[in-house]
Each structure stands twice: as C-alpha cells, then as structure tokens.
Amino acid sequence: MAQRLELAASRPGTNKSAIVDAALDRFLNPERDASGDAPLVRRLDRISRQLERTDRDLSVMAETIALFIRYYLTITPPLPSGDQDAARALGRERFEMFVAQVGKRVASGGRLVADVMERVSTSNPDLFMRHIEEGAPLGASRAAASKSRSQDATGQQPEPSPAGREEIGNV
C-alpha cells in the first residue's frame, strides 16, 4: 500500500497528504462521493427516456385501438342470421391474414407504430398539440373542424386521408 501511495504521490500536482486526505474523506463521507454515481445517473436517465418513449408509444397504441373499436362498433350494421356463418368464416380468414402480417413485422423487426409516428411528426409536427375537446380531426384547422362535424352528423362515412390510403396499402 505504501508503494502505491508513493507512486500516486509522484504525479505532478499531488502529494501524499492530499491523497490520504481525499481517501479518508471518501471513506468517512461516502454520500459526498458523486464521481462513482455519475455512470449510474447517466444510465438511469437513459432508462427514464426509454420508458417515456415506451409510455408515449403505448398511449398512442391504446388510443388507436380504442378509436378503431369505437368506429368499428358504430358503423358495422348487424348481419341477418343467414349471413352470419359466411361472415364468421371470412372473419377467421381475415384474422389469420392479420396474425401472419403481425408475425412478419415482428420477425423482421419492423415497428409500424414507430414508422407512423415518425412519418406523422415529420409531415405534421403540430398534429398532437391540439386538444381532443376541440372536436376537430387531428391536424385540421378550426374551419375544417366545423365542416367535418357537419358531415359526420349526416351519417356519411369519412373517406380515408391520402396518408390513410397509403397505410392501408402498406399493411
């Protein structure tokens, strides 16, 4: 230990008493030693940012699913009894195709939510800045919002946007 102290004290700008003083201070007051915590703090900050992104993605996904379900349940008319078996068969077939698409995207590492979020934030950075209570479609102006509400009141099904049509083609 004495040799290591001699070696450390031989560096320019240091002496034995300063090294021993710093070591005793570190030993007797470990809570003041922030230098050892810096990598841990950086890692915790990085984990915190990752959790915030995951939380945002999960919120977007939950809202998307909830809106889709509400839309689907609102516009889907009940089927006559004779058509239900054919509809179930078609539904199973579509579900199998859906599962295959999800499996393909997961296996390839593709993330549709991240792709869509990136595309939206690039093309319309203010999209998520409006309040839901305004009633406007996301990204629409106030004038377009009032026009959109009157069209919805007539019961007409809205046309997909160009981006929506593009997404339907990519699925």
Side-chain angles (χ1 to χ4, degrees), residues 29-169:
N29 300 311
E31 65 276 352
R32 279 203 278 168
D33 180 26
S35 64
D37 294 341
L40 178 63
V41 169
R42 281 193 306 272
R43 181 161 171 80
L44 286 173
D45 285 344
R46 192 178 81 228
I47 290 170
S48 178
R49 286 190 303 274
Q50 288 172 337
L51 283 172
E52 287 170 1
R53 280 191 304 268
T54 301
D55 185 45
R56 183 204 64 201
D57 289 351
L58 186 59
S59 294
V60 168
M61 195 178 322
E63 284 299 314
T64 302
I65 290 170
L67 286 171
F68 173 77
I69 290 169
R70 184 172 70 181
Y71 178 78
Y72 177 80
L73 294 174
T74 302
I75 67 158
T76 304
L79 292 174
S81 304
D83 294 339
Q84 288 185 0
D85 290 335
R88 283 189 193 102
L90 181 60
R92 279 191 293 275
E93 182 181 327
R94 287 179 176 172
F95 183 74
E96 291 300 322
M97 288 176 20
F98 170 77
V99 169
Q101 286 291 323
V102 169
K104 221 188 309 185
R105 287 199 65 90
V106 169
S108 71
R111 293 188 40 204
L112 184 60
V113 171
D115 295 346
V116 169
M117 292 298 291
E118 177 65 27
R119 195 178 293 176
V120 165
S121 65
T122 301
S123 66
N124 193 353
D126 297 331
L127 183 66
F128 298 113
M129 300 307 290
R130 90 165 174 78
H131 295 287
I132 293 293
E133 293 79 31
E134 292 177 15
L138 290 177
S141 66
R142 289 192 185 270
S146 62
K147 180 181 176 190
S148 170
R149 272 187 240 120
S150 65
Q151 287 175 344
D152 288 345
T154 65
Q156 294 177 353
Q157 185 173 342
E159 285 291 318
S161 67
R165 284 192 294 273
E166 181 180 333
E167 285 301 318
I168 290 169

Side-chain angles (χ1 to χ4, degrees), residues 8-36:
S10 66
R11 294 184 198 143
T14 61
N15 58 38
K16 288 182 186 180
S17 63
I19 295 170
V20 170
D21 184 45
L24 283 173
D25 186 49
R26 182 184 247 172
F27 180 77
L28 295 173
N29 300 311
E31 65 276 352
R32 279 203 278 168
D33 180 26
S35 64

